Amino acid sequence: MGKQVPIVDYLVIDDGSPHLAAWESVDSGALYFDRRNADAKGGGTEFRRKKLATTGKVRSFTIVNRGVPGIPVPYVSALVDLDGGGTVKANLTNTPPDPEHVKLGMAVKMTTFPAGTDDDGTEAIAFAFEPAS
Amino acid sequence: MSGDNGDNVWILGAYMTKFGRHTDKDLIDLASESALGAMKDADVTIHDMEVLGCGSLFNAQAGVGQQLQKQIGQTGIPVYNVANACATGATALRTVLLTIKAGEADMGLAVGVEQMGKGGLLGAGGKGDRGRKVYEPSGRYGSVMQVEGVLGTGLMPGVFAQAGMEYAYEHGGVDFEQFAKVAEKNHAHSTLNPLAHYQKQFTLDEVMTAEMMSYPNTLLMCCPNTDGSAAVVLVSEEKLRTLSRDQQKRAVKISASALTTDPWTEHAQVQPDVNTLTRNAAKQAYETAGVSPQDLDLVELHDCFATAELIHYDNLMLCPPGDAGKFIDERGPWRDGQTPVNVSGGLISKGHPIGATGIANVFEVTTHLRGEAGDRQIEGAKVGLTHVIGLGSACAVHILEKAAV
């Protein structure tokens, strides 16, 4: 198997089972996925890495029928409230992309998949969520 | 209602171009038309203007205000070129208002203009093909490739669809049909507005069976890309008192002007929170004006998508918390309902030339308060509210009143 890299740096694929990690403000407890200069909630500048749960509930979704070139449609984009804290946006997979199957509040779990391979053979690993049961 | 303290700023003139695809005109043609139109409507000239605020989002670095001056009058006054997402036009207006309140000017011109063309879907961004493909982390998220469509969607129809569905999750009682009813209403309203980009009525079934863009937003529930411009002439109360009786009679008071950004909220790290800053702006505006939501005779709010309009019923407190679905079911926002919303046709039918939108909605409310809205007039309108929100985020709310100077 060639080299693998996470699609974004808040997806951790080289420390046990794949999971998401956020920057948690030491002062306010606010969670962030991006590189930080300071905490936009409390103003502090100290952060620690926090491992997030791989399970959660769908707080919102949309079914995209017209998207950007190269991305097959329809697909489901969802906001997921992770158990224990943190909200993330990702695709919802392994379910028919229609409102009869995708429900607000449904329990989901994280999964990973290869999103592409570059010219050096490096594979980008992305994450998505799928129904928990 | 607020007492007159002599520090009020009034709208003396207002104008908007026909919204649509103006392939035969450029940006400055459109801005010139609205600027000259607003000054003519106010019965003043460029020589009376002491400040110019000019909003154009996609040409923010082009000095559109100065380009406009070179067509309609180079009088040497200060120009503020403004870009503030979809609140760009409203921010240009507010810049002129604040200049007058600061005592630096008695009269000024605010112009909003945009030429969108056939812009396609906004919000894709991300990384395109750049020759040899090598996955290197970059940016604040350390992404190695374009994530649009891979890690959810950031395209506008999807972002606002998710905002609407989030409301449904939190409050219940809202489904596809309620969202679609918003578009049914706005398309119906647009048939009375000759300045709207589209003036075609659709049945609820036609709205719901139109091409699905991003569930629950169908094509008929999304605003089009539109070209257009709108302008207002603002005047201090002191100056207004020196003007003619006719000018005073048609002047409309700006009872409140609020501008907010998005405070930190937990879920907004991955999905813009369009609610909190709207609620904050509305609260500030109601308090400043001494007006309650029940006093409003009409509202022009930011219906970039049908899902957005529905949640703003709640954010602007036009309905009890959680009752936005019930509000549209009971026809509350129709032109003959409890609080008419977007009688212009809204962004969904009138169009959304981004820089112009926040002044065009002021034009609409002003026209009703003057009793000059023709077939679409809301009879006896005395108080109205305008609202715009742009992602990033910025929100502006203005409350306008028909009042005697």
Side-chain angles (χ1 to χ4, degrees):
Chain A
M1 192 169 65
K3 190 183 166 193
Q4 292 185 326
V5 293
I7 185 169
V8 285
D9 60 15
Y10 57 91
L11 171 65
V12 180
I13 59 172
D14 59 357
D15 183 17
S17 59
H19 61 273
L20 303 178
W23 291 111
E24 180 182 35
S25 166
V26 172
D27 291 336
S28 74
L31 300 176
Y32 301 96
F33 290 118
D34 61 340
R35 176 168 55 79
R36 300 302 303 176
N37 297 97
D39 172 17
K41 181 183 183 188
T45 53
E46 273 190 74
F47 293 89
R48 60 185 162 227
R49 209 70 174 138
K50 180 175 178 175
K51 180 178 177 179
L52 303 181
T54 55
T55 56
K57 287 188 172 57
V58 172
R59 73 175 281 111
S60 183
F61 71 88
T62 182
I63 303 162
V64 179
N65 282 259
R66 204 196 280 189
V68 294
I71 300 292
V73 290
Y75 68 88
V76 181
S77 167
L79 303 179
V80 175
D81 283 340
L82 297 172
D83 297 333
T87 301
V88 67
K89 184 187 281 187
N91 288 2
L92 201 57
T93 58
N94 295 328
T95 183
D98 61 58
E100 285 69 47
H101 292 86
V102 181
K103 298 289 182 191
L104 293 168
M106 70 190 284
V108 293
K109 61 182 180 188
M110 200 183 91
T111 181
T112 56
F113 65 98
T117 306
D118 73 6
D119 292 340
D120 293 335
T122 300
E123 200 171 53
I125 302 298
F127 65 95
F129 287 83
E130 61 186 10
S133 54
Chain B
M1 308 284 167
S2 63
D4 287 338
N5 58 9
D7 193 29
N8 294 310
V9 175
W10 295 66
I11 296 165
L12 189 64
Y15 186 92
M16 71 174 268
T17 68
K18 162 83 176 166
F19 278 9
R21 294 254 155 72
H22 292 290
T23 52
D24 57 335
K25 292 176 179 164
D26 68 17
L27 197 71
I28 306 304
D29 289 325
L30 294 168
S32 297
E33 182 187 333
S34 69
L36 293 170
M39 290 188 288
K40 186 177 178 189
D41 180 61
D43 196 17
V44 294
T45 75
I46 191 70
H47 300 288
D48 297 304
M49 299 302 113
E50 295 166 302
V51 60
L52 170 62
C54 187
S56 186
L57 185 64
F58 293 157
N59 292 278
Q61 297 174 347
V64 174
Q66 285 87 341
Q67 288 191 56
L68 173 62
Q69 284 183 306
K70 286 175 178 59
Q71 293 300 321
I72 67 168
Q74 290 177 257
T75 56
I77 61 172
V79 167
Y80 297 98
N81 289 297
V82 172
N84 206 10
C86 293
T88 290
T91 306
L93 185 158
R94 188 174 154 77
T95 304
V96 173
L97 178 144
L98 291 177
T99 305
I100 293 172
K101 275 191 179 284
E104 287 195 7
D106 281 322
M107 202 183 290
L109 177 65
V111 181
V113 62
E114 209 77 59
Q115 209 157 24
M116 310 279 291
K118 288 193 171 185
L121 298 176
L122 301 184
K127 304 175 182 195
D129 289 332
R130 297 179 195 142
R132 186 174 153 74
K133 186 165 70 173
V134 178
Y135 289 153
E136 291 287 349
S138 67
R140 286 193 171 252
Y141 296 93
S143 55
V144 300
M145 60 191 293
Q146 177 179 292
V147 300
E148 171 59 35
V150 182
L151 299 181
T153 187
L155 295 173
M156 292 300 112
V159 166
F160 282 94
Q162 287 168 112
M165 294 297 281
E166 199 170 26
Y167 184 86
Y169 177 63
E170 288 174 345
H171 299 288
V174 181
D175 61 21
F176 180 23
E177 187 171 308
Q178 272 80 38
F179 289 124
K181 282 179 178 176
V182 170
E184 178 197 17
K185 168 184 71 74
N186 289 354
H187 287 298
H189 284 174
S190 75
T191 61
L192 298 174
N193 184 1
L195 297 176
H197 190 162
Y198 296 105
Q199 296 167 257
K200 189 174 175 189
Q201 191 158 359
F202 297 93
T203 65
L204 180 61
D205 186 58
E206 286 172 323
V207 172
M208 295 179 74
T209 56
E211 179 191 350
M212 182 57 73
M213 300 292 284
S214 202
Y215 177 88
N217 284 322
T218 67
L219 185 63
L220 292 175
M221 296 161 72
C222 302
C223 68
N225 289 321
T226 296
D227 307 332
S229 180
V232 286
V233 173
L234 304 188
V235 64
S236 68
E237 185 157 310
E238 192 182 350
K239 178 74 175 179
L240 180 61
R241 288 202 170 113
T242 70
L243 301 180
S244 74
R245 193 64 213 130
D246 278 353
Q247 286 168 307
Q248 290 179 10
K249 213 170 135 187
R250 293 180 70 242
V252 165
K253 188 167 81 171
I254 302 177
S255 296
S257 171
L259 181 66
T260 57
T261 55
D262 45 337
W264 187 93
T265 54
E266 188 178 355
H267 306 300
Q269 304 312 309
V270 290
Q271 161 74 14
D273 171 10
V274 299
N275 303 314
T276 310
L277 77 168
T278 295
R279 296 188 82 85
N280 288 351
K283 192 163 173 288
Q284 275 182 37
Y286 288 133
E287 283 174 9
T288 303
V291 162
S292 79
Q294 289 70 41
D295 295 325
L296 300 173
D297 297 307
L298 75 160
V299 170
E300 288 286 308
L301 64 75
H302 202 74
D303 60 320
C304 46
F305 298 91
T307 46
E309 174 164 325
L310 190 123
I311 63 180
H312 291 317
Y313 297 152
D314 200 323
N315 292 328
L316 296 173
M317 302 163 225
L318 307 182
C319 64
D323 276 0
K326 191 175 165 204
F327 187 60
I328 186 74
D329 276 343
E330 293 176 351
R331 298 177 64 89
W334 282 76
R335 52 176 293 115
D336 57 354
Q338 179 189 311
T339 308
V341 175
N342 289 333
V343 295
S344 67
L347 280 55
I348 286 176
S349 324
K350 184 176 67 178
H352 182 20
I354 292 177
T357 294
I359 297 181
N361 61 16
V362 169
F363 164 85
E364 181 68 18
V365 171
T366 297
T367 305
H368 286 270
L369 298 183
R370 286 169 159 181
E372 298 174 356
D375 291 343
R376 69 183 188 284
Q377 176 69 39
I378 297 298
E379 289 304 327
K382 289 189 168 54
V383 189
L385 179 147
T386 66
H387 159 259
V388 282
I389 180 184
L391 293 187
S393 297
C395 175
V397 169
H398 286 93
I399 293 178
L400 310 180
E401 283 187 75
K402 179 183 174 68
V405 62

